[in-house]
Amino acid sequence: MKGNTLMKSSLRCWFFILFALSVLAASAAVPKPNFIFIYCDNLGNGDVGCFGSKLHRTPNVDRLAKEGMKFTSFYVTSGVCTPSRASAMTGCYAQRVNLHESDKRGAVLQPVSPKGLNPDEITIAEALKQQGYATAIIGKWHLGDQPPFLPTRQGFDLFFGIPYSDDMTAREGQPWPPLPLMRDEKVVDAPVDRDYLTKRYTEETIRFMTEHKDRPFFIYLPHAMPGSTATPYASPAFKGKSANGQYGDSVEEIDWSTGEILKALKQLGLDERTLVVWTSDNGAVRRNPPQGSCAPYKGYGYDTSEGAMRMPCVMRWPGKIPAGTVCDEIVTTMDLLPTFAKLAGGEPPRDRKIDGHDARPLLLGEKGAKSAYDETGFFYYRLEQLQAVRSGPWKLYLPLPNKYIANNRKTAPSKLELYDVRHDVGEEREISAQHPDVVKRLLALAETARADLGDVARPGKGQRPAGFVQDPKPQVKTD
């Protein structure tokens, strides 16, 4: 009897061991997803066909929308480059990581700045490297051009691109070095021919995919285009081919690039293992004559309008993200880090506060999924000034006696205004008088943000320091 009991006990132990091993084996057999994050520069909501453009031909981005999910309340945290990119990389408001302004109190970092993303911050690349990912940034960085701040010190195995904006070239009053194209930490071309950046980035992306097809990879592809110059660039194959001048040529080449990447995914057998995110760092800039479009939203890039911060976004992952769907819940670039980390089988950083949320329920189309920002609020900052709050359908513009309206902190008064930006996307009906309870709640959220992230003449308790170096040097020597 005793022997039978021992035998049964032993069999149970072996059963549980075998069961555990089978679970582990099954888990190991499921490949981790690849991530490709395509980030345009100064491209507006109305610049692609699936978001309403009648000017630009974007069949490949439109295909992403047909085969994936279109996000109609997708936000960046700033209307300008550096803070927007800081949030995308760290999952934090730029104010938290102190990249909401440059060392010169401007809106973006300039060449040879002593300031950059603190190496102690954790980027998407670092979070994914912990899960065995190969990581690459192919494109524009703009989070510091000094060695401690370069992508290769921030979790990326490969950097092929420019360290800041395409318009940051030598001019009167700005003795900047020639615009450098870098591979890792070395300059390989200066000045780089900007006409060929999109083409070269695309080729490098496909090369990296091919070399790493047998292991999970993360590719961050922040295009330099349409860019910050008044005369955007495109390769000869696209010049003069669009219905919208050089700007349209540039947009249509980015669409071609997207198509080449999708084609390569198919050829490499990676289609169903890859989540592609396609969006922009901020809205199109106001030009005269007009170039880009932020329609149907009000405003243009560089401020806290919907046009500046509410971006076109599509995400595609065959078999996982339901095809042909639309999500109007609030999602932001800050959500990419926690979402990617979870999908990769890891966790977002636990030793510090990040502001992004795990958006998997929304991406994967779970019934009844809601945005976490309905509770926490989403905050619109310009430099250190909080200017508006969104929660659910509501956007509250805060009453400010001195509202920043330009990089030099030129100010103008602004009054309290409330809009339902989910149903009144053009902000035609001001409704604060009809919803005093909403106004009260959003004002309370604004006060919470000020205490944590700061405001004018009010440092936030949750802010962390940026990185600084002594005696910064140009990547390219100038005589």
Side-chain angles (χ1 to χ4, degrees):
M1 187 77 178
K2 192 173 182 180
N4 287 339
T5 303
L6 286 171
M7 185 178 291
K8 288 180 180 178
S9 178
S10 298
L11 287 171
R12 266 198 299 267
C13 287
W14 277 110
F15 172 79
F16 284 120
I17 289 169
L18 290 171
F19 177 75
L21 288 172
S22 68
V23 170
L24 287 171
S27 176
V30 178
K32 295 176 184 288
N34 304 311
F35 303 104
I36 300 177
F37 173 25
I38 302 172
Y39 212 30
C40 301
D41 188 57
N42 290 0
L43 178 141
N45 188 81
D47 281 332
V48 289
C50 54
F51 284 87
S53 177
K54 303 299 183 186
L55 267 180
H56 302 146
R57 295 168 296 185
T58 58
N60 294 298
V61 180
D62 299 348
R63 176 189 159 195
L64 283 176
K66 288 177 184 176
E67 297 178 358
M69 182 176 288
K70 187 166 78 165
F71 292 81
T72 52
S73 284
F74 188 89
Y75 286 89
V76 292
T77 64
S78 175
V80 293
C81 298
T82 295
S84 174
R85 290 157 195 271
S87 293
M89 284 295 97
T90 65
C92 298
Y93 286 102
Q95 289 69 24
R96 188 170 303 287
V97 296
N98 257 289
L99 280 179
H100 55 286
E101 64 179 10
S102 73
D103 53 297
K104 297 181 178 179
R105 299 200 75 204
V108 298
L109 296 176
Q110 296 180 353
V112 204
S113 170
K115 188 176 184 179
L117 179 63
N118 195 317
D120 289 338
E121 293 296 340
I122 296 174
T123 66
I124 297 179
E126 288 169 311
L128 293 176
K129 273 184 77 69
Q130 293 175 6
Q131 300 303 315
Y133 277 68
T135 58
I137 168 176
I138 300 165
K140 169 182 165 181
W141 177 236
H142 215 169
L143 296 177
D145 68 348
Q146 297 304 293
F149 311 137
L150 290 175
T152 45
R153 312 283 181 99
Q154 307 276 6
F156 287 98
D157 299 323
L158 168 73
F159 172 37
F160 182 77
I162 57 177
Y164 34 74
S165 290
D166 69 301
D167 66 329
M168 292 185 170
T169 56
R171 67 190 72 167
E172 187 176 348
Q174 297 288 10
W176 289 330
L179 183 66
L181 177 68
M182 302 182 70
R183 182 175 290 280
D184 299 330
E185 298 188 8
K186 293 183 178 179
V187 174
V188 294
D189 197 358
V192 64
D193 187 337
R194 287 170 280 182
D195 279 338
Y196 289 91
L197 280 177
T198 299
K199 184 175 185 292
R200 293 177 76 174
Y201 289 168
T202 306
E203 292 168 349
E204 191 73 26
T205 298
I206 293 171
R207 184 179 301 114
F208 190 87
M209 291 163 55
T210 304
E211 290 175 356
H212 296 89
K213 62 184 175 62
D214 295 323
R215 64 178 288 196
F217 60 74
F218 165 54
I219 298 174
Y220 174 38
L221 176 55
H223 281 293
M225 301 300 144
S228 302
T229 68
T231 54
Y233 295 85
S235 64
F238 293 89
K239 278 192 173 181
K241 301 296 175 62
S242 80
N244 192 25
Q246 291 168 282
Y247 186 92
D249 299 345
S250 181
V251 172
E252 292 187 2
E253 186 166 22
I254 289 172
D255 182 79
W256 163 84
S257 169
T258 304
E260 291 299 293
I261 292 167
L262 293 177
K263 189 188 305 179
L265 284 174
K266 192 75 171 177
Q267 291 170 346
L268 294 169
L270 301 175
D271 225 18
E272 295 185 358
R273 286 171 44 194
T274 305
L275 167 57
V276 178
V277 177
W278 196 102
T279 188
S280 178
D281 73 334
N282 56 254
V285 181
R286 188 190 301 272
R287 304 281 188 199
N288 189 18
Q291 293 178 330
S293 168
C294 298
Y297 309 128
K298 288 180 69 173
Y300 284 87
Y302 299 170
D303 58 24
T304 53
S305 65
E306 292 296 279
M309 295 175 60
R310 192 168 173 177
M311 296 295 98
C313 179
V314 289
M315 299 191 196
R316 171 187 179 266
W317 186 6
K320 297 292 192 297
I321 293 178
T325 53
V326 177
C327 175
D328 198 34
E329 293 291 316
I330 302 170
V331 181
T332 82
T333 51
M334 296 186 293
D335 302 333
L336 297 181
L337 189 156
T339 303
F340 288 4
K342 288 279 193 178
L343 288 171
E347 293 289 336
R350 298 295 189 190
D351 63 340
R352 67 199 65 203
K353 182 170 183 179
I354 66 168
D355 301 294
H357 305 283
D358 178 5
R360 287 178 301 167
L362 295 170
L363 270 61
L364 302 178
E366 291 184 13
K367 188 175 181 180
K370 291 291 183 183
S371 172
Y373 295 98
D374 291 354
E375 296 296 325
T376 66
F378 173 74
F379 306 110
Y380 301 70
Y381 272 92
R382 183 176 180 84
L383 299 165
E384 76 269 37
Q385 186 178 59
L386 180 61
Q387 297 189 345
V389 182
R390 183 173 171 184
S391 173
W394 312 108
K395 180 176 182 180
L396 181 71
Y397 290 89
L398 300 171
L400 301 169
N402 295 291
K403 179 181 179 180
Y404 294 168
I405 57 172
N407 290 349
N408 62 0
R409 289 167 170 75
K410 181 179 179 183
T411 64
S414 69
K415 59 184 179 180
L416 184 147
E417 295 180 332
L418 179 70
Y419 295 94
D420 177 350
V421 292
R422 179 164 287 154
H423 304 102
D424 176 21
V425 295
E427 299 175 59
E428 298 176 350
R429 297 177 294 280
E430 199 286 313
I431 50 177
S432 58
Q434 294 96 300
H435 299 280
D437 54 333
V438 174
V439 171
K440 182 179 179 180
R441 185 169 68 85
L442 268 58
L443 286 173
L445 288 174
E447 188 55 29
T448 300
R450 291 186 179 111
D452 185 25
L453 298 168
D455 206 330
V456 178
R458 182 177 174 180
K461 293 178 181 178
Q463 290 181 299
R464 302 193 288 265
F468 279 90
V469 299
Q470 297 291 330
D471 190 26
K473 293 179 172 57
Q475 293 289 347
V476 182
K477 293 181 179 178
T478 55
D479 298 321

